Amino acid sequence: MRGHAPSVGSRGRSDFLCGPCCPSPPSLQISGRFLETKVNKGKLRLRCSSGLEEGEDYLIDAPVSVGDGFSFSGGKYSEGPNPSDEWFKKGKIVKAHPVRGIGDKATDPIFGLTLGSGSQTSADVFRWFCVETGVSTNSSVILVHGLPSQAYSFRKVLPKLSEDFHAIAFDWLGFGFSDKPQPKYGFDYTLNEYVSSLDSLINELGVNDFSLVVQGYFAPVVVKYASLHQEKLKNIILINPPLMDKHAKLPSTLSIFSNFLLGEIFSQDPLRASDKVLTSCGPYMMKEEEAMVYRRPYLTSGSSGFALNAISKAMNKELKSYTEEMRTILSSESWKIQTTICWGQRDRWLDYEGVEEFCSRSNIRLVELPTAGHHAQEDLGEELGKIIRGIIGKKR
């Protein structure tokens, strides 16, 4: 089996072979460290040794002068302003949801190396990146991105909604500019934790009588939250949610990140963790300036990849039960929230079969988007913004 490691360190690239068929045990240099693999009777063994002086700390998201074994450029992204910086300037940090960790410094799950400051979370409350547009006194709509993505995916939707509404998009914990705690250091990325953390964030934002828009695999999480707080909500719009039983399994481009070792390696490659997954599920053609924003978290800190590993494992384990629960909630007589499903019919991950029948049976409005894929907000951002505005602007 041949595998390719991501570009490692601040200079150059190393490829490696692994598996029982390797002709000789390879070594992978990682910015002053060597990862040595040994194959013995089909078993893969790893040994990490350091080129640093004894007692010198090695930080995974260290400055470029030190090098970073888990990012493409040693924690340094690029010279001068870039699209990611411009996007960050449009938002703010909101503190919400208590950190329930052990108080120790987080370490990476492979070698046990201490992560740098960019990979450490707050000591008490998590930090969320939020972008708000429109007048705060207007009715609010909260936009929730999918897996793996960022609030940035709604950049073309926000201006359309801000004309009539107070619109808010945020990065989930583990994504974008929000905190990315290591599992067991305050957040384990279970779907129940995402439900409770969403509750904390919305309480901190101080909105009531609002609408929710959620895309993709986080839809079951948001629907569960909504079922517990129906009195607060006007509308909920689901964009290509995993609705049917056959949707409850992650596609291979996502499930690969849950694999032992291989998932850890691939999740540190920005091209695999952002570009490939965002463009493999529909017609979306990513421009370079857009790709730079999505790659940024993976370029600057190993914690982004480790968070992707954790949420992929949680989704593989819990998505089926959450999907079943979502269908039960949406079809229940006790469900009183006006619900719309917008479906990009060029979705390569989730099959459309059965969606129309479920919506008809459950009295859910269905809006078909023939030219959009899984990430409809990327394919039809402005048009989707107009559709959402029309839906939530209607009187009850």
Side-chain angles (χ1 to χ4, degrees), residues 31 33 81 87 101 126 134 194 221 278 337 364 390:
S31 298
R33 291 179 172 264
W87 173 248
F126 288 118
Y194 272 116
V221 167
L278 288 169
I337 302 172
I364 293 173

Side-chain angles (χ1 to χ4, degrees), residues 135-148:
V135 180
S136 61
T137 54
N138 286 345
S139 181
S140 296
V141 54
I142 298 177
L143 307 173
V144 186
H145 70 78
L147 172 70

Side-chain angles (χ1 to χ4, degrees), residues 223 236 238 241 243 325-333 335 339 341 358 362-364:
V223 168
I236 187 167
L238 313 177
L243 189 63
E325 185 178 11
M326 179 173 69
R327 286 201 308 273
T328 300
I329 292 171
L330 294 177
S331 58
S332 170
E333 291 185 1
W335 179 251
T339 305
I341 291 179
F358 176 82
S362 305
N363 195 30
I364 293 173

Side-chain angles (χ1 to χ4, degrees), residues 28-36 46-52 111:
L28 172 65
Q29 183 172 1
I30 305 183
S31 298
R33 291 179 172 264
F34 287 88
L35 171 63
E36 183 177 309
L46 303 176
R47 182 173 66 84
C48 180
S49 61
S50 173
L52 300 174
F111 306 125

Side-chain angles (χ1 to χ4, degrees), residues 331-351:
S331 58
S332 170
E333 291 185 1
S334 62
W335 179 251
K336 304 300 182 183
I337 302 172
Q338 291 190 103
T339 305
T340 302
I341 291 179
C342 295
W343 197 276
Q345 293 183 300
R346 295 180 67 182
D347 190 333
R348 296 172 188 161
W349 285 352
L350 303 181
D351 194 330

Side-chain angles (χ1 to χ4, degrees), residues 202-236:
I202 290 175
N203 287 339
E204 187 63 32
L205 291 172
V207 295
N208 282 291
D209 202 25
F210 61 96
S211 298
L212 276 168
V213 178
V214 55
Q215 184 271 328
Y217 287 99
F218 277 111
V221 167
V222 174
V223 168
K224 184 166 184 176
Y225 162 82
S227 70
L228 302 173
H229 302 279
Q230 294 197 53
E231 74 285 353
K232 293 184 177 182
L233 287 159
K234 286 183 176 180
N235 295 271
I236 187 167

Side-chain angles (χ1 to χ4, degrees), residues 107-392:
T107 60
D108 82 86
I110 303 177
F111 306 125
L113 305 172
T114 301
L115 291 162
S117 59
S119 301
Q120 304 295 341
T121 61
S122 301
D124 51 357
V125 182
F126 288 118
R127 297 163 296 193
W128 303 65
F129 177 71
C130 300
V131 176
E132 295 189 51
T133 60
V135 180
S136 61
T137 54
N138 286 345
S139 181
S140 296
V141 54
I142 298 177
L143 307 173
V144 186
H145 70 78
L147 172 70
S149 189
Q150 300 178 31
Y152 179 72
S153 66
F154 290 107
R155 64 195 175 280
K156 296 177 183 177
V157 176
L158 284 166
K160 294 299 178 183
L161 294 180
S162 65
E163 296 174 13
D164 300 308
F165 300 96
H166 173 221
I168 306 169
F170 67 88
D171 289 335
W172 282 112
L173 294 178
F175 298 92
F177 289 107
S178 291
D179 272 342
K180 304 167 191 68
Q182 280 292 84
K184 303 188 186 306
Y185 290 88
F187 197 79
D188 290 337
Y189 297 94
T190 66
L191 300 192
N192 280 341
E193 284 178 300
Y194 272 116
V195 173
S196 61
S197 65
L198 177 62
D199 185 21
S200 297
L201 176 62
I202 290 175
N203 287 339
E204 187 63 32
L205 291 172
V207 295
N208 282 291
D209 202 25
F210 61 96
S211 298
L212 276 168
V213 178
V214 55
Q215 184 271 328
Y217 287 99
F218 277 111
V221 167
V222 174
V223 168
K224 184 166 184 176
Y225 162 82
S227 70
L228 302 173
H229 302 279
Q230 294 197 53
E231 74 285 353
K232 293 184 177 182
L233 287 159
K234 286 183 176 180
N235 295 271
I236 187 167
I237 299 174
L238 313 177
I239 305 170
N240 287 63
L243 189 63
M244 315 308 294
D245 281 335
K246 57 188 174 182
H247 297 161
K249 183 178 180 180
L250 291 180
S252 59
T253 45
L254 286 178
S255 63
I256 187 66
F257 299 117
S258 66
N259 290 355
F260 173 69
L261 186 59
L262 195 61
E264 274 81 2
I265 292 172
F266 284 169
S267 67
Q268 301 302 327
D269 181 346
L271 302 182
R272 281 186 176 272
S274 60
D275 298 44
K276 184 173 181 179
V277 292
L278 288 169
T279 57
S280 67
C281 56
Y284 177 43
M285 301 295 291
M286 186 183 292
K287 297 178 181 178
E288 181 61 22
E289 60 267 25
E290 297 166 348
M292 288 170 69
V293 180
Y294 283 116
R295 294 171 193 158
R296 175 65 180 268
Y298 301 95
L299 287 164
T300 56
S301 172
S303 61
S304 299
F306 298 138
L308 182 57
N309 298 145
I311 183 57
S312 298
K313 292 174 182 177
M315 284 281 183
N316 274 338
K317 182 179 179 180
E318 303 174 54
L319 187 59
K320 186 176 186 296
S321 62
Y322 257 74
T323 297
E324 292 172 351
E325 185 178 11
M326 179 173 69
R327 286 201 308 273
T328 300
I329 292 171
L330 294 177
S331 58
S332 170
E333 291 185 1
S334 62
W335 179 251
K336 304 300 182 183
I337 302 172
Q338 291 190 103
T339 305
T340 302
I341 291 179
C342 295
W343 197 276
Q345 293 183 300
R346 295 180 67 182
D347 190 333
R348 296 172 188 161
W349 285 352
L350 303 181
D351 194 330
Y352 182 62
E353 184 181 0
V355 173
E356 185 175 7
E357 180 184 351
F358 176 82
C359 290
S360 176
R361 187 173 66 249
S362 305
N363 195 30
I364 293 173
R365 180 182 180 185
L366 176 63
V367 177
E368 297 176 346
L369 307 171
T371 61
H374 184 72
H375 294 277
Q377 70 270 38
E378 290 287 10
D379 298 320
L380 300 171
E382 294 183 0
E383 182 179 337
L384 183 63
K386 293 177 182 178
I387 291 171
I388 294 171
R389 192 174 66 189
I391 294 170
I392 64 180

